[in-house]
Amino acid sequence: MAAISEQKRNYMQLDHRDWVRWWNAVNDQEGRPDRNIDFHWADIFPIRTPMLLKAVLVEPKLVGPLFRACWESNLDMANDDILSKVISDAGYSGPEVLQQANEQKCKADLRARTAEAKEVGINGVPSYRVFRRKQAQGDGGWKQIGDIVWGQDLITDVEDYIAGWDGVTTAEAGARSISSKL
C-alpha cells in the first residue's frame, strides 16, 4: 500500500471496512452470523499468489480457507510451511496438495487460465463473466452477456445479467426501438 497516496489508501481502507460491514450484515440477515468476516490489510503485501492459485486448482474448496488465511488471519502465505498447515487445517493433506500444485500439469493449467483471462480482458479480482445459452440458434452454445464486470461494488450488475438483462442501457434500447420504426 506504500505505492499509493495517503488519501487513496485512507479511502480504500474505508471502502473495505464498509464492504466488511455490508457482507457481515448480509450474513446476519441470512441467518449465518457465524460467517463473520474480519478483513484487514495484510502485513505482507502484495501477496504472492501463484502457489495459492495452483492449490485451488488442485482443490477448489480451498478458496475460502486460503482467503481467510490471507485477509483475516494475516498469515504469510508465501511460506510453504504455513500454506501447508492452512490446507491441512482445512481438512486436506497439505503436503499432497502442494506436491500436486507443483506438478507440470497444474502449472500448465494455471498458465492457460492466465492467458485466457488476459485474452478476454479480465483485469483483477473479482471479475465476472455471465454466459447464456444461445437457444435461438438451437446449437446449445454459450454467449457472454454484457461486458466483464470487475469489482464487488458492481455485483448487482452480475445479478441483473443473470436475471435476464442483456447489458443494453435504457438509452440504447430506446434508440434501437426508434431506429427500427423509421
Side-chain angles (χ1 to χ4, degrees), residues 12-86:
M12 289 174 64
Q13 290 174 344
L14 174 65
D15 189 45
H16 279 98
R17 282 192 302 271
D18 289 346
W19 276 107
V20 167
R21 281 197 338 263
W22 187 83
W23 280 113
N24 285 334
V26 168
N27 287 341
D28 201 34
Q29 181 180 12
E30 293 179 353
R32 300 181 312 196
D34 58 317
R35 296 190 62 193
N36 193 50
I37 298 167
D38 184 24
F39 177 90
H40 63 79
W41 283 102
D43 289 337
I44 300 172
F45 190 83
I47 297 168
R48 292 185 56 229
T49 59
M51 184 56 80
L52 281 70
L53 294 170
K54 291 184 289 182
V56 167
L57 291 176
V58 172
E59 180 45 68
K61 291 179 181 176
L62 286 171
V63 169
L66 295 178
F67 179 89
R68 286 187 295 280
C70 291
W71 296 108
E72 291 183 10
S73 300
N74 195 25
L75 298 177
D76 180 3
M77 298 306 288
N79 181 312
D80 284 347
D81 292 334
I82 293 172
L83 177 56
S84 182
K85 182 175 180 343
V86 168

